[in-house]
Amino acid sequence: MGSHLFVPIPRRRWNVRRVANLSYGDVGRHNLLDVYHRSRPKGAPVLIHVHGGHYSGGGKNSQSLPLHYRLASRGWVTISASRLKPHVRHPST
């Protein structure tokens, strides 16, 4: 086997800015998101990433980071939201 299979995937890119922990709701740390972008992202395509984990596991700080940094370095704006599981069952009655 070639040694290139064991080289870690680079996660961070020098030309990408991460704006962390922006609130998008009223449930505290459960309603936070991170935005990844290059400077001046006006008119850029946007990817909203909802991580796996059945909406109860995983997290915005660890899921798909190579994807966020790669797309943002190419001019995209990517958004990664924190845990999204609601505190009620459906139907709630």
Side-chain angles (χ1 to χ4, degrees):
M1 261 192 260
S3 62
H4 65 279
L5 294 176
F6 300 104
V7 175
I9 298 171
R11 292 184 174 203
R12 308 221 186 281
R13 304 227 179 182
W14 64 270
N15 62 343
V16 172
R17 180 172 179 223
R18 174 180 168 241
V19 181
N21 298 320
L22 300 172
S23 177
Y24 69 89
D26 59 0
V27 192
R29 67 183 178 90
H30 295 294
N31 289 146
L32 298 175
L33 56 84
D34 295 347
V35 177
Y36 299 80
H37 67 87
R38 288 192 322 192
S39 62
R40 301 182 184 162
K42 184 178 179 180
V46 177
L47 170 81
I48 300 173
H49 178 261
V50 179
H51 64 78
H54 202 249
Y55 297 109
S56 60
K60 68 179 179 60
N61 299 332
S62 60
Q63 301 291 310
S64 300
L65 290 180
L67 173 67
H68 289 292
Y69 280 100
R70 182 179 178 115
L71 289 177
S73 73
R74 294 179 176 203
W76 286 66
V77 173
T78 68
I79 299 168
S80 182
S82 62
R83 196 167 93 197
L84 304 171
K85 188 173 185 177
H87 295 283
V88 296
R89 292 188 174 274
H90 180 74
S92 61
T93 57

